[in-house]
Amino acid sequence: MTLEGIDGSGKSSVAAALRRELPRCLPEKSFIFTAEPTESDEGRILRAHLTQGYGEGDAARAMKMEELFLFLADHARHLAERVAPSMARGEIVISDRYSDSTAAYQGVTLKEIVPDPLMWIREVSEPWNVKPDLTLLFILPPELALERLEARPGKERFERLDFLKEVDQNFRRLKELEPDRFVLLDASRPAEQVENRALERIANLIEDSS
Ligand code: TYD
């Protein structure tokens, strides 16, 4: 199961609530909480990458491509070393961001570099992916997300209105491609309501599949 959405959509605080509540609500199940980018070497390199500018021309194009492959490398290691082994042990894995973030975000950065980057990224990453059975997509107007982000210290590369609007469109497109996997959550509602809704959707899916 995965949590996806634009920066500032409140995923990470819901992830913290799920980490606290799910083991209490479903004590017979084992949960693993994880996130991308990870804390691995690839993840650390990526975070350093995200605080730099791209520069111009060919150098910028190369850097955007490098960034995609760093995200894919981080994801591949995450899948092989953490997600797949946990699933094999019968644990329920909940990831704060996963491969849809790569398709949605790098689907914007690579726009003028490859045709239809969102579809291309889905294709190239297919051999290194295990599809989640449920993706909670946090939907929030990008203007509101940016307001929330402005209250936080530090600023990452992707925290700009025009960019977040395109990422939001890409997430919606991913949902259209696989409507059964995605559940939309209205992230403009009070935090407690969003948390309860997320908890309810996850618990329902677990109950239905057991
Ligand atoms: P994240 O750590 O979730 O953001 P935050 O700092 O708000 O907790 O992710 C860092 C940034 O990386 C975020 O702007 C989303 C972006 N990202 C991608 O561009 N591609 C990806 O594949 C992933 C996993 C994240």
Side-chain angles (χ1 to χ4, degrees):
M1 299 182 192
T2 58
L3 312 180
E4 296 281 9
I6 58 174
D7 293 73
S9 61
K11 286 173 305 82
S12 301
S13 49
V14 169
L18 294 175
R19 188 190 281 254
R20 200 177 57 235
E21 296 298 327
L22 275 171
R24 213 175 50 81
C25 297
L26 296 164
E28 68 288 4
K29 301 283 178 193
S30 299
F31 294 94
I32 297 291
F33 294 90
T34 182
E36 291 186 15
T38 69
E39 297 301 325
S40 71
D41 289 345
E42 290 85 350
R44 275 199 296 276
I45 296 169
L46 254 169
R47 286 181 195 280
H49 218 267
L50 294 182
T51 57
Q52 291 170 25
Y54 289 124
E56 309 241 321
D58 283 346
R61 279 192 283 277
M63 206 163 159
K64 289 175 178 176
M65 213 40 136
E66 269 167 41
E67 193 169 86
L68 167 69
F69 285 101
L70 279 170
F71 276 115
L72 293 179
D74 187 44
H75 170 76
R77 188 203 281 256
H78 185 218
L79 178 62
E81 293 185 359
R82 187 151 166 86
V83 177
S86 299
M87 288 174 67
R89 287 193 295 269
E91 294 161 348
I92 298 168
V93 180
I94 300 190
S95 188
D96 178 356
R97 296 198 184 281
Y98 189 72
S99 44
D100 293 313
S101 278
T102 319
Y105 281 77
Q106 280 58 58
V108 180
T109 57
L110 296 177
K111 233 174 19 174
E112 267 113 49
I113 303 175
V114 289
D116 201 349
L118 180 145
M119 292 307 275
W120 178 70
I121 293 165
R122 275 165 60 92
E123 271 167 39
V124 291
S125 54
E126 175 108 46
W128 294 278
N129 206 7
V130 170
K131 286 266 166 88
D133 40 12
L134 172 71
T135 296
L136 298 180
L137 179 56
F138 290 66
I139 294 289
L140 185 71
E143 290 82 358
L144 215 59
L146 210 61
E147 255 173 52
R148 290 183 180 178
L149 289 168
E150 268 153 16
R152 293 188 203 162
K155 195 167 176 69
E156 282 187 340
R157 170 179 288 165
F158 301 137
E159 298 176 4
R160 294 189 335 259
L161 185 59
D162 54 343
F163 186 85
L164 290 183
K165 281 186 173 168
E166 291 186 81
V167 177
D168 177 59
Q169 288 306 315
N170 277 349
F171 274 127
R172 292 171 191 268
R173 190 172 162 208
L174 290 166
K175 189 231 171 217
E176 293 308 312
L177 291 168
E178 290 175 77
D180 295 343
R181 173 161 68 86
F182 284 86
V183 167
L184 264 50
L185 290 183
D186 178 357
S188 66
R189 302 186 82 84
E192 206 183 288
Q193 282 182 27
V194 187
E195 285 165 19
N196 287 340
R197 192 103 181 91
L199 207 62
E200 192 182 280
R201 299 311 293 237
I202 293 177
N204 285 349
L205 184 82
I206 294 171
E207 272 158 26
D208 288 350
S209 55
S210 51

